[in-house]
Amino acid sequence: MADDDGKLRDLAEKRLRNEITAREAYDEVYRRGLQHGNYSSPINGFVMLAGGILCYITFFAEVWHLSFFAPLFQLPTIIFPETVRYLAIILLILTFVGLVHTTYLRATKGGSGWKGESETVILVREGPYAIVRHAAVLTFSGFFTFLTVILSPYVPFNPLSVIGNILFFLACYYSCVEGDTLNMLKWGDEYRQYMKEVPRVNFVLGLWRRAKRKNKQGSEIAPSNG
Protein backbone atom coordinates (compact mmCIF):
# COMPACT_ATOMS: atom_id res chain seq x y z
CA MET A 1 0.00 0.00 0.00
CA ALA A 2 1.34 3.43 -0.95
CA ASP A 3 2.19 5.88 1.81
CA ASP A 4 -0.60 8.31 2.67
CA ASP A 5 0.89 11.71 3.52
CA GLY A 6 -2.51 13.31 4.06
CA LYS A 7 -4.16 16.20 2.28
CA LEU A 8 -2.47 18.87 4.39
CA ARG A 9 1.11 17.62 4.34
CA ASP A 10 2.17 20.34 1.90
CA LEU A 11 0.55 23.05 4.00
CA ALA A 12 2.20 21.76 7.18
CA GLU A 13 5.62 21.81 5.52
CA LYS A 14 5.09 25.34 4.17
CA ARG A 15 4.05 26.60 7.60
CA LEU A 16 7.05 24.97 9.26
CA ARG A 17 9.28 26.76 6.73
CA ASN A 18 7.30 30.01 7.20
CA GLU A 19 6.52 30.11 3.48
CA ILE A 20 2.88 30.95 4.17
CA THR A 21 1.14 32.83 6.97
CA ALA A 22 -1.24 31.37 9.52
CA ARG A 23 -4.13 33.18 7.82
CA GLU A 24 -3.19 31.76 4.42
CA ALA A 25 -3.04 28.26 5.91
CA TYR A 26 -6.45 28.77 7.56
CA ASP A 27 -8.00 29.98 4.31
CA GLU A 28 -6.51 27.03 2.40
CA VAL A 29 -8.05 24.55 4.84
CA TYR A 30 -11.46 25.99 3.99
CA ARG A 31 -10.71 26.08 0.29
CA ARG A 32 -9.95 22.36 0.40
CA GLY A 33 -13.10 21.66 2.39
CA LEU A 34 -11.24 20.14 5.34
CA GLN A 35 -12.82 22.21 8.12
CA HIS A 36 -14.55 20.48 11.03
CA GLY A 37 -17.98 21.72 10.03
CA ASN A 38 -17.93 19.55 6.92
CA TYR A 39 -17.35 16.40 8.99
CA SER A 40 -19.66 17.10 11.94
CA SER A 41 -23.17 15.68 12.13
CA PRO A 42 -25.88 18.23 13.01
CA ILE A 43 -27.64 15.46 14.91
CA ASN A 44 -24.68 15.25 17.26
CA GLY A 45 -25.07 18.92 18.07
CA PHE A 46 -28.76 18.40 18.85
CA VAL A 47 -27.91 15.48 21.16
CA MET A 48 -25.41 17.64 23.03
CA LEU A 49 -27.99 20.43 23.32
CA ALA A 50 -30.62 17.96 24.53
CA GLY A 51 -28.22 16.73 27.21
CA GLY A 52 -27.72 20.27 28.45
CA ILE A 53 -31.45 20.98 28.47
CA LEU A 54 -32.23 17.83 30.46
CA CYS A 55 -29.71 18.82 33.13
CA TYR A 56 -31.24 22.24 33.71
CA ILE A 57 -34.89 21.99 32.62
CA THR A 58 -36.19 21.24 36.13
CA PHE A 59 -34.39 24.27 37.55
CA PHE A 60 -35.78 26.70 34.96
CA ALA A 61 -39.25 25.15 35.18
CA GLU A 62 -39.23 25.91 38.92
CA VAL A 63 -37.82 29.42 38.50
CA TRP A 64 -40.32 30.33 35.78
CA HIS A 65 -43.22 28.51 37.50
CA LEU A 66 -44.01 26.40 34.46
CA SER A 67 -46.88 24.25 35.72
CA PHE A 68 -46.73 22.08 32.61
CA PHE A 69 -43.46 20.63 33.97
CA ALA A 70 -44.85 20.08 37.48
CA PRO A 71 -44.25 16.28 37.34
CA LEU A 72 -40.52 17.02 37.10
CA PHE A 73 -40.64 18.60 40.56
CA GLN A 74 -41.53 15.21 42.04
CA LEU A 75 -38.46 13.45 40.69
CA PRO A 76 -35.94 12.29 43.32
CA THR A 77 -32.92 14.57 43.57
CA ILE A 78 -29.36 14.22 44.79
CA ILE A 79 -27.45 16.89 46.68
CA PHE A 80 -23.85 15.76 46.63
CA PRO A 81 -21.89 15.97 49.91
CA GLU A 82 -19.62 18.96 50.41
CA THR A 83 -16.53 16.80 50.05
CA VAL A 84 -17.67 15.64 46.63
CA ARG A 85 -18.56 19.17 45.57
CA TYR A 86 -15.18 20.54 46.70
CA LEU A 87 -13.46 17.79 44.73
CA ALA A 88 -15.63 18.68 41.73
CA ILE A 89 -14.61 22.34 42.11
CA ILE A 90 -10.93 21.35 41.97
CA LEU A 91 -11.56 19.17 38.93
CA LEU A 92 -13.60 21.96 37.31
CA ILE A 93 -10.68 24.35 37.70
CA LEU A 94 -8.30 21.77 36.27
CA THR A 95 -10.55 21.12 33.28
CA PHE A 96 -10.87 24.86 32.67
CA VAL A 97 -7.09 25.22 32.74
CA GLY A 98 -6.93 22.25 30.38
CA LEU A 99 -9.35 23.92 27.98
CA VAL A 100 -7.29 27.11 27.95
CA HIS A 101 -4.02 25.19 27.55
CA THR A 102 -5.24 23.02 24.68
CA THR A 103 -6.61 26.09 22.90
CA TYR A 104 -3.25 27.81 23.36
CA LEU A 105 -1.36 24.80 21.97
CA ARG A 106 -3.55 24.56 18.88
CA ALA A 107 -3.31 28.29 18.26
CA THR A 108 0.48 28.51 18.69
CA LYS A 109 1.57 25.10 17.38
CA GLY A 110 -1.16 24.14 14.92
CA GLY A 111 -0.10 26.48 12.13
CA SER A 112 -3.40 28.34 11.64
CA GLY A 113 -3.11 30.92 14.41
CA TRP A 114 -5.74 31.97 16.94
CA LYS A 115 -8.49 32.36 14.37
CA GLY A 116 -7.87 28.86 13.08
CA GLU A 117 -7.07 27.12 16.37
CA SER A 118 -9.73 24.50 15.64
CA GLU A 119 -8.59 24.07 12.01
CA THR A 120 -4.93 23.17 12.48
CA VAL A 121 -2.63 22.22 9.63
CA ILE A 122 0.17 20.87 11.85
CA LEU A 123 -0.56 17.86 14.08
CA VAL A 124 -0.14 18.92 17.73
CA ARG A 125 1.20 16.04 19.84
CA GLU A 126 2.61 17.72 22.92
CA GLY A 127 1.22 18.51 26.37
CA PRO A 128 -2.23 16.98 26.93
CA TYR A 129 -2.21 15.76 23.33
CA ALA A 130 0.57 13.36 24.27
CA ILE A 131 -1.90 11.71 26.66
CA VAL A 132 -5.20 11.71 24.75
CA ARG A 133 -5.92 12.62 21.14
CA HIS A 134 -8.97 14.75 21.94
CA ALA A 135 -7.85 16.55 25.08
CA ALA A 136 -10.03 19.62 24.50
CA VAL A 137 -13.21 17.58 24.07
CA LEU A 138 -12.43 15.49 27.15
CA THR A 139 -11.88 18.55 29.33
CA PHE A 140 -15.01 20.21 27.94
CA SER A 141 -17.21 17.21 28.75
CA GLY A 142 -15.62 16.96 32.20
CA PHE A 143 -16.25 20.67 32.82
CA PHE A 144 -19.94 20.19 32.04
CA THR A 145 -20.34 17.19 34.35
CA PHE A 146 -18.43 18.71 37.27
CA LEU A 147 -20.55 21.85 37.02
CA THR A 148 -23.79 19.88 37.46
CA VAL A 149 -22.33 18.23 40.58
CA ILE A 150 -21.21 21.56 42.07
CA LEU A 151 -24.60 23.19 41.45
CA SER A 152 -26.62 20.27 42.88
CA PRO A 153 -27.73 22.24 46.01
CA TYR A 154 -29.26 24.88 43.72
CA VAL A 155 -29.97 23.09 40.43
CA PRO A 156 -31.86 19.81 41.02
CA PHE A 157 -29.71 16.81 40.10
CA ASN A 158 -32.32 14.18 39.24
CA PRO A 159 -32.66 11.22 36.82
CA LEU A 160 -32.96 13.71 33.95
CA SER A 161 -29.55 15.10 34.94
CA VAL A 162 -28.05 11.62 34.74
CA ILE A 163 -29.54 11.08 31.28
CA GLY A 164 -28.42 14.57 30.24
CA ASN A 165 -24.84 13.97 31.33
CA ILE A 166 -24.76 10.65 29.50
CA LEU A 167 -26.13 12.22 26.31
CA PHE A 168 -23.65 15.08 26.57
CA PHE A 169 -20.71 12.72 27.00
CA LEU A 170 -21.87 10.47 24.15
CA ALA A 171 -22.19 13.49 21.86
CA CYS A 172 -18.69 14.62 22.84
CA TYR A 173 -17.33 11.13 22.26
CA TYR A 174 -18.93 10.89 18.82
CA SER A 175 -17.43 14.26 17.92
CA CYS A 176 -14.04 12.67 18.69
CA VAL A 177 -14.85 9.83 16.26
CA GLU A 178 -15.74 12.43 13.63
CA GLY A 179 -12.51 14.26 14.41
CA ASP A 180 -10.46 11.11 13.88
CA THR A 181 -12.06 10.62 10.46
CA LEU A 182 -11.17 14.17 9.45
CA ASN A 183 -7.69 14.04 10.92
CA MET A 184 -6.83 10.86 9.00
CA LEU A 185 -7.69 12.75 5.83
CA LYS A 186 -5.60 15.73 6.91
CA TRP A 187 -2.47 13.90 8.08
CA GLY A 188 -2.72 10.37 6.71
CA ASP A 189 -0.23 7.83 8.05
CA GLU A 190 1.19 10.31 10.56
CA TYR A 191 -2.17 10.47 12.29
CA ARG A 192 -2.73 6.71 12.05
CA GLN A 193 0.55 6.20 13.89
CA TYR A 194 -0.55 8.77 16.46
CA MET A 195 -3.77 6.78 16.92
CA LYS A 196 -1.73 3.67 17.72
CA GLU A 197 0.31 5.49 20.34
CA VAL A 198 -2.25 7.74 22.01
CA PRO A 199 -5.81 6.76 23.03
CA ARG A 200 -8.85 8.77 22.02
CA VAL A 201 -10.07 9.93 25.46
CA ASN A 202 -8.91 7.27 27.96
CA PHE A 203 -6.84 9.49 30.24
CA VAL A 204 -5.54 6.68 32.48
CA LEU A 205 -4.46 4.55 29.51
CA GLY A 206 -2.89 7.63 27.97
CA LEU A 207 -0.78 8.31 31.04
CA TRP A 208 0.35 4.69 31.15
CA ARG A 209 1.33 4.66 27.46
CA ARG A 210 3.14 7.96 27.82
CA ALA A 211 5.13 6.61 30.75
CA LYS A 212 6.02 3.52 28.69
CA ARG A 213 7.21 5.71 25.80
CA LYS A 214 9.36 7.80 28.13
CA ASN A 215 10.87 4.70 29.73
CA LYS A 216 11.61 3.24 26.30
CA GLN A 217 13.22 6.47 25.12
CA GLY A 218 15.27 6.64 28.31
CA SER A 219 16.55 3.08 27.88
CA GLU A 220 17.48 3.76 24.26
CA ILE A 221 19.68 6.74 25.13
CA ALA A 222 21.16 5.25 28.33
CA PRO A 223 24.91 4.58 28.01
CA SER A 224 25.92 0.95 27.68
CA ASN A 225 27.68 -0.71 30.63
CA GLY A 226 29.47 -3.17 28.38
Side-chain angles (χ1 to χ4, degrees), residues 75-118:
L75 291 173
T77 60
I78 299 173
I79 297 179
F80 291 93
E82 281 192 359
T83 305
V84 175
R85 298 203 305 273
Y86 287 142
L87 176 60
I89 290 172
I90 294 172
L91 293 173
L92 184 81
I93 294 171
L94 290 175
T95 54
F96 178 76
V97 172
L99 276 171
V100 173
H101 185 48
T102 53
T103 301
Y104 172 80
L105 285 175
R106 293 195 308 273
T108 57
K109 306 290 185 180
S112 298
W114 285 99
K115 182 177 181 180
E117 54 85 17
S118 62

Side-chain angles (χ1 to χ4, degrees), residues 68-221:
F68 178 78
F69 294 101
L72 300 182
F73 307 155
Q74 308 304 318
L75 291 173
T77 60
I78 299 173
I79 297 179
F80 291 93
E82 281 192 359
T83 305
V84 175
R85 298 203 305 273
Y86 287 142
L87 176 60
I89 290 172
I90 294 172
L91 293 173
L92 184 81
I93 294 171
L94 290 175
T95 54
F96 178 76
V97 172
L99 276 171
V100 173
H101 185 48
T102 53
T103 301
Y104 172 80
L105 285 175
R106 293 195 308 273
T108 57
K109 306 290 185 180
S112 298
W114 285 99
K115 182 177 181 180
E117 54 85 17
S118 62
E119 310 293 351
T120 54
V121 298
I122 299 170
L123 178 58
V124 180
R125 301 187 54 166
E126 60 187 81
Y129 290 104
I131 301 172
V132 290
R133 300 198 301 271
H134 299 280
V137 178
L138 180 61
T139 52
F140 178 60
S141 62
F143 185 94
F144 179 86
T145 298
F146 299 140
L147 187 61
T148 61
V149 172
I150 294 166
L151 295 177
S152 62
Y154 318 103
V155 179
F157 192 99
N158 56 32
L160 292 181
S161 306
V162 176
I163 296 172
N165 272 287
I166 292 173
L167 288 178
F168 195 88
F169 177 80
L170 290 176
C172 287
Y173 187 84
Y174 188 70
S175 72
C176 295
V177 176
E178 293 175 328
D180 282 338
T181 299
L182 172 60
N183 292 341
M184 282 189 285
L185 288 175
K186 291 168 69 173
W187 295 301
D189 290 338
E190 180 185 7
Y191 193 78
R192 292 185 181 89
Q193 181 60 36
Y194 178 51
M195 291 173 70
K196 294 178 182 178
E197 297 173 1
V198 179
R200 183 176 283 144
V201 293
N202 190 328
F203 186 77
V204 175
L205 178 61
L207 285 173
W208 183 71
R209 287 186 179 177
R210 188 185 188 200
K212 281 188 64 177
R213 290 196 302 272
K214 285 186 172 292
N215 288 338
K216 183 178 179 181
Q217 292 168 359
S219 63
E220 288 175 350
I221 63 174

